[in-house]
Amino acid sequence: MCGIIGCVSDANVVDVLADGLKNMEYRGYDSAGFCVYDDGTIRVCKGVGRVDEIARNLDLQSFSGKIGLAHTRWATHGGVTPENAHPHLSCNGEVAVVHNGIIENYQAIKVKLEAKGHIFRSTTDTEVIPHLIEEKLKAGRNYRDAVLDAVKELKGSYAFIVLFRDLCDRLYGVRKDAPLIIGLSERGNFLASDALSFLKYTNKAIFLENLEVAEVRRDGYTIWNFKGEEVQHSISTLEWESMVLSKREFTHFTLKEIHEQRETITLAFRQDQEDLDRFCLALQGAERIYIIGAGTSYHAGLVAKHLFLNVAKLPVEAILASEFEEYATLLDEGTLLLAISQSGETADVLSAVSVAKKRGVPVLSIVNMLSSSLARESEQTLYLKCGPEVGVAATKTFTAQLAVIYSVVARLSNLSIDLKQIAEAVEEVFGVERQMAYLAQALSTSKDCYFIGRGVNYPIALEGALKLKELAYVHAEGLAAGELKHGTLALISEGVPVIAINPSDKTYHDTLSNVAEIKARGGRVIGLSDVENSLYDYHVKIPSVEKLFYPLVEVIPLQMFAYYSALERGQNPDYPRNLAKSVTVK
Ligand code: F6R
């Protein structure tokens, strides 16, 4: 839930670390910190706020060093304070650590270390790591073994990087259930949570496996497993271009990524046919399929449930990843788990996968991030191919998930995909952008907003509401249109906005009846539909597509609405409060 980076180079690393951290701010942006080795000491600069503010306020430019660490934080253990920002140092300042994840047994370790005289300066779980390593060094262990010995005592899921004051030409990185990647460049080498952080300098990466420790030097690296045995990994060449990290002409990454859907939807439809065949064969062979995901990915899972059941005729249930364990009673060899996740690192998803695997259940996945933990845990993975998503809110990855799901369903049924029609409709839907900006302004004082839809459009109502909540901080609810009269209708009074997702599919007339019920109570209805109706106070015209494909063109205006609502309400849509993109804690 945090981003970590370390760099060892033959030049000053301060700007490289600051750049890298900015490209990982989506992982957390409560606080940030840096440390570099400078003339026999480890200098630290850390504070509360965004990377740029901290660098400016604490004069990061006065720092200089050829090896260093940096961290961007999303608080889990310990409040958002300068003391709790990373890096954390051991008592004698000999060991500095940046960490992403959770040390579950930190309290017990802390008590033991305090009894030995260690003084803690923060309330984080992380701080036990440098103190523990310092103890191992005092006991005469060499640097690598001090790290390996410390790891034996740590419980939880974590990745961390260590800089030793008296060893200023190498870093150590540890991976256990949280990502850590080595980046190799001619001017120096990296360890980081995400390759995005060093993509500007190199596209050569090594993805550490779980339970591994790496020593990264200026001119090389060595990797061991937790038993201390050396292991070899191949070097991957990342296909992502560093251009993806620029906002181009857009003011925010979120808007850029909404617009990228013109291309990314088509790219996601172009799955390798052999991969697709193998994936579908596994689905067909299952007696029962559980689809899991969290947040937006769960909403994609609900669309998949509708299409798998009604079109591909597969026995399927969709369950929130965080609730999966509660429903795991029927798991057996006939069951298959399909996990959907942008990051492939969501703790709730990985935990559900682990429950399933323990029962011998095969796992398939739909993922964006290459070599993520979920991809590694899966027997087969279909990738979204839509490049990195920097905005915290999922936008282009949601429609890419839908495109992959449609591709799977088409392979399993007689559903035909008219890619040309879809691409044209997606292009056309961008014509409503000004209308969505106008609506965001017109509704900028509304305290609540409801979204309704039926059938395959219901998950889009949920997604529209989620986007508005997370970007604009407006209370929003997505409802199956038929459910409104079972309680929530009581909240509809004069002027309360309701967005009715109502394409001309078989749900059209029933949803229109619900619209009439809302109108009768004074609600203000925005109809998102390919056909006009006098019941709507405001009509947003979406393009006509084959009926089951409406979700693709419905969600884009709702993403725009949330984006412009955030701007109207003075919020930064790229960095919604309290959130982080990759939720690696349960
Ligand atoms: C919403 C959003 C989150 C994620 C959720 C799952 O815009 O981004 O709800 O969808 O945290 O994340 P992944 O897909 O990475 O598993």
Side-chain angles (χ1 to χ4, degrees), residues 293-298 340-346 349 389 391-395 397 401 463 466-467 470 580-583:
T296 293
S297 295
Y298 172 67
I340 305 179
S341 171
Q342 185 284 127
S343 61
E345 301 295 345
T346 301
V349 173
E389 189 173 63
V392 167
T395 53
T397 53
Q401 287 167 342
E463 180 59 10
L466 179 64
K467 288 289 94 91
E470 68 175 329
K581 187 143 191 83
S582 190
V583 188

Side-chain angles (χ1 to χ4, degrees), residues 24 30 68 70 109 133 160 174 182 238 261 275 283 325 364 376 391 394 440 495 501 503 509 526:
M24 279 195 298
D30 292 344
I109 298 176
I133 295 175
F160 63 85
V174 177
I182 301 176
L238 304 170
Q261 292 174 107
D275 290 349
L283 287 170
E325 213 170 333
L364 304 190
R376 270 199 291 264
I501 301 156
H509 290 289
I526 294 108

Side-chain angles (χ1 to χ4, degrees), residues 36 306 370 502 541:
V36 288
H306 188 281
L370 305 176
N502 197 21
K541 184 170 171 19

Side-chain angles (χ1 to χ4, degrees), residues 303-313 405-406 409 456 548:
V303 174
K305 171 180 163 179
H306 188 281
L307 298 173
F308 279 21
L309 265 176
N310 295 308
V311 186
K313 311 287 180 203
I405 290 161
Y406 284 118
V409 173
V456 76
L548 290 167

